[in-house]
């Protein structure tokens, strides 16, 4: 079978992280089967659609590397197709007019959905629907409704598998009945369980807690300096698993192994702490070139490219989000950095010690981490003090902070001139 799947978002706001996972699972299934991934924009709700939201969707998919093979198709441009299909249902007696609207004659039999994830689900008509299960497919103003256009497009676009959020399971009986009315079998359905916050609440863009609401949109992860590869890797594991404990998985391997029956039936919890850890692993694995251009988008700019790259390499294993970069490495690029007053107050600096270290460092024939370390240790021995009494003031003088990368490597990267000038300038 030639697999054809689709992602069918409505452009009515930020791109929800759950929608992103739906897109990802469709993409993975298309790539796994060698099928086609179709992008369809469900923009029939004219009042709520925005151009900005459309761009957010397109940019989000591109950012994650979820390339589509067809589309984007826009429902707003397919009115004539819907008109013809509505006429077809009228002609075969499956649709009739009442109060100016076109209504679908819904089956009175229970509908069985053989969902590839949820299993067989029988949808009997509810109490309220028993007396009148029919529903509107074209409103009195001529605009077609979601259920109708969604099914017509899946039919026209020859979609073989509908992979979407579990919130649409309740619509599926209607959709299957519509397909049958057109005289065809429906596509296979795979409804993916929801993504929840760690506290079990629904991940919602309108959560009253602004921090939680923010994390429901993809934009937050772009802004915070997550790498698309890390977000994609994490989302792959939200509801799907390669059946071992590995967390970092190359996408080629996921594509090779991904299949629908393995998707877990229970809701997945979105653990942003774990994602952040994973992001740190991905940052650490970046090449110098990659880290360099990504850091530039987070404001790391310095004309001296070899120096800039050396700084970034030093910090690579120390950050979990790219947005941490300016704060963590600002002092490498300016002499006008802040000396943390709390750090000075906590462990006062002895200026005599600092001068002795400065003098020793000024005489070094080579400037590398090993030499800097052995000389600091030797000096501490000669002075009869703990190494910390030299390390702490030195770090403070050159970076203004008490934490950071390994001191000796930091000194090596900063270079002799910067280090000596900062040590001499430092007035605790
Ligand atoms: N436009 C619908 C949504 O955004 C698509 C539902 C579907 O995938 O069938 O949820």
């Amino acid at each position: 079978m030639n697999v054809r799947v689709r992602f069918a978002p409505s452009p009515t706001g930020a791109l929800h992280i759950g929608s992103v996972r739906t897109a990802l699972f469709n993409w993975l299934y298309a790539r796994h089967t060698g099928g086609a991934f179709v992008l369809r924009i469900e923009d029939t709700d004219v009042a709520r659609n925005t151009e900005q939201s459309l761009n957010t969707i397109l940019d989000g998919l591109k950012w994650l590397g979820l390339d589509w093979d067809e589309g984007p198709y826009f429902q707003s441009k397919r009115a004539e197709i819907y008109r013809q299909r509505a006429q077809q249902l009228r002609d075969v007696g499956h649709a009739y007019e009442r109060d100016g609207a076109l209504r679908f004659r819904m089956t009175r039999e229970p509908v069985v959905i053989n969902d590839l994830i949820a299993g067989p689900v029988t949808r009997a008509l509810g109490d309220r629907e028993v007396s009148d299960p029919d529903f509107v497919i074209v409103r009195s103003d001529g605009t077609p409704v979601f259920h109708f256009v969604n099914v017509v497009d899946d039919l026209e676009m020859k979609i073989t598998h509908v992979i979407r959020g579990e919130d649409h399971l309740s619509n599926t009986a209607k959709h299957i009945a519509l397909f049958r009315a057109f005289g065809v079998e429906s596509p296979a359905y795979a409804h993916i369980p929801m993504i929840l916050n760690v506290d079990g609440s629904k991940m919602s863009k309108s959560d009253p807690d602004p921090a939680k609401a923010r994390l429901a949109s993809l934009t937050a992860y772009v802004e915070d300096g997550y790498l698309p590869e890390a977000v994609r890797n994490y989302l792959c594991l939200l509801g799907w698993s390669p059946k071992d404990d590995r967390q970092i998985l190359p996408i080629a391997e996921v594509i090779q192994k991904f299949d629908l029956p393995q998707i877990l039936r229970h809701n997945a919890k979105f653990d942003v702490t774990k994602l952040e850890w994973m992001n740190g692993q991905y940052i650490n694995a970046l090449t110098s070139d990659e880290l360099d251009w990504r850091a530039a988008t987070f404001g790391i700019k310095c004309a001296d490219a070899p120096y800039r790259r050396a700084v970034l390499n030093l910090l690579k294993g120390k950050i979990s989000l790219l947005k941490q970069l300016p704060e963590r490495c600002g002092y490498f690029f300016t002499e006008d950095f802040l000396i943390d007053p709390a750090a000075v107050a906590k462990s006062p600096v002895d200026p005599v010690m600092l001068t002795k270290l400065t003098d020793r460092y000024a005489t070094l024939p080579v400037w590398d981490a090993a030499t800097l370390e052995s000389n600091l240790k030797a000096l501490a021995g000669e002075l009869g003090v703990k190494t910390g009494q030299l390390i702490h003031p030195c770090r403070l003088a050159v970076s203004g902070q008490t934490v950071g990368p390994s001191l000796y490597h930091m000194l090596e990267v900063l270079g002799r001139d910067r280090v000596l000038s900062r040590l001499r300038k430092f007035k605790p």
Side-chain angles (χ1 to χ4, degrees):
M1 183 208 286
N2 246 349
V3 165
R4 290 176 61 80
V5 291
R6 84 308 192 266
F7 176 48
S10 305
T12 55
L15 187 54
H16 191 280
I17 199 77
S19 301
V20 174
R21 192 203 35 175
T22 299
L24 172 66
F25 280 16
N26 275 284
W27 179 83
L28 284 171
Y29 194 57
R31 296 294 168 261
H32 174 76
T33 55
F37 177 49
V38 176
L39 176 59
R40 179 170 85 221
I41 306 297
E42 302 214 322
D43 57 348
T44 48
D45 189 348
V46 185
R48 293 178 63 219
N49 294 329
T50 65
E51 178 86 18
Q52 191 194 1
S53 169
L54 170 66
N55 290 332
T56 308
I57 293 169
L58 301 179
D59 291 348
L61 293 177
K62 285 181 201 156
W63 186 73
L64 283 163
L66 305 184
D67 53 327
W68 53 93
D69 306 303
E70 278 179 38
Y73 295 112
F74 293 88
Q75 289 189 327
S76 56
K77 300 201 175 116
R78 298 166 62 80
E80 181 52 25
I81 295 170
Y82 306 135
R83 203 194 54 72
Q84 286 175 15
R85 287 291 186 175
Q87 187 58 45
Q88 183 186 350
L89 288 187
R90 233 187 247 262
D91 292 345
V92 294
H94 269 294
Y96 61 92
E97 217 172 292
R98 187 198 287 172
D99 302 330
L102 190 66
R103 292 164 56 91
F104 178 66
R105 204 181 297 283
M106 179 64 179
T107 172
R108 268 57 183 167
E109 301 299 315
V111 177
V112 180
I113 306 156
N114 284 309
D115 195 89
L116 293 174
I117 299 166
V121 179
T122 304
R123 174 97 174 110
L125 297 174
D127 282 349
R128 247 186 51 231
E129 290 167 331
V130 176
S131 56
D132 185 14
D134 298 351
F135 57 92
V136 170
I137 52 174
V138 182
R139 298 182 192 89
S140 52
D141 66 2
T143 55
V145 306
F146 160 71
H147 301 298
F148 181 65
V149 292
N150 184 269
V151 165
V152 168
D153 280 348
D154 283 344
L155 175 60
E156 292 271 338
M157 293 173 190
K158 301 188 168 46
I159 299 303
T160 57
H161 295 72
V162 170
I163 306 168
R164 61 185 175 190
E166 206 173 47
D167 48 338
H168 284 291
L169 192 55
S170 57
N171 297 326
T172 307
K174 287 191 173 84
H175 296 184
I176 290 177
L178 277 163
F179 274 105
R180 290 189 182 148
F182 282 119
V184 294
E185 267 312 302
S186 65
Y189 287 98
H191 285 95
I192 327 173
M194 299 281 102
I195 302 183
L196 305 177
N197 291 309
V198 271
D199 64 8
S201 59
K202 197 169 159 250
M203 249 187 140
S204 162
K205 293 187 280 183
S206 49
D207 195 291
D209 175 346
K212 275 200 214 161
R214 184 171 179 271
L215 289 181
S217 297
L218 182 67
T219 324
Y221 303 90
V222 180
E223 284 171 359
D224 286 353
Y226 283 88
L227 303 184
E229 301 88 325
V231 174
R232 196 174 59 188
N233 186 150
Y234 182 70
L235 289 177
C236 285
L237 297 173
L238 266 192
W240 174 86
S241 147
K243 303 243 162 20
D244 58 37
D245 287 339
R246 282 174 316 139
Q247 304 289 333
I248 307 288
L249 295 169
I251 195 69
E253 189 184 334
V254 179
I255 289 173
Q256 193 219 330
K257 294 191 170 149
F258 186 85
D259 211 350
L260 297 175
Q262 296 160 7
I263 295 177
L264 307 172
R265 282 186 183 203
H266 53 76
N267 291 333
K269 286 200 174 158
F270 195 98
D271 182 353
V272 75
T273 316
K274 185 167 159 191
L275 170 57
E276 191 173 327
W277 165 81
M278 194 175 268
N279 201 50
Q281 304 290 306
Y282 270 89
I283 292 177
N284 204 15
L286 289 177
T287 64
S288 275
D289 261 2
E290 286 168 336
L291 181 58
D292 194 31
W293 71 257
R294 292 182 203 239
T297 62
F298 282 84
I300 302 304
K301 295 195 176 78
C302 165
D304 182 348
Y307 177 59
R308 190 181 65 225
R309 281 162 182 250
V311 170
L312 290 171
N313 274 337
L314 194 62
L315 281 157
K316 220 156 80 158
K318 309 276 175 210
I319 56 163
S320 51
L321 301 172
L322 292 177
K323 78 164 180 189
Q324 294 162 345
L325 276 173
E327 189 195 320
R328 301 277 175 91
C329 69
Y331 59 85
F332 280 95
F333 304 114
T334 173
E335 293 311 305
D336 192 20
F337 56 89
L338 199 77
I339 306 280
D340 178 7
V344 183
K346 212 168 105 202
S347 38
V349 171
D350 180 343
V352 179
M353 294 289 162
L354 208 56
T355 309
K356 288 195 187 293
L357 181 67
T358 311
D359 292 345
R360 178 109 179 192
Y361 275 176
T363 64
L364 292 183
V366 276
W367 191 267
D368 62 22
T371 311
L372 290 158
E373 177 171 5
S374 60
N375 274 275
L376 186 142
K377 285 183 173 162
L379 179 64
E382 287 161 28
L383 298 171
V385 298
K386 288 191 184 137
T387 51
Q389 282 174 266
L390 295 172
I391 290 174
H392 169 71
C394 179
R395 181 184 286 285
L396 203 54
V398 299
S399 73
Q401 303 181 4
T402 52
V403 288
S406 128
L407 176 72
Y408 309 110
H409 290 97
M410 178 167 101
L411 297 176
E412 179 183 321
V413 169
L414 278 164
R416 183 193 299 264
D417 293 349
R418 272 191 205 86
V419 170
L420 293 180
S421 119
R422 289 181 186 189
L423 285 173
R424 288 184 180 127
K425 218 173 80 184
F426 184 59
K427 298 276 172 286

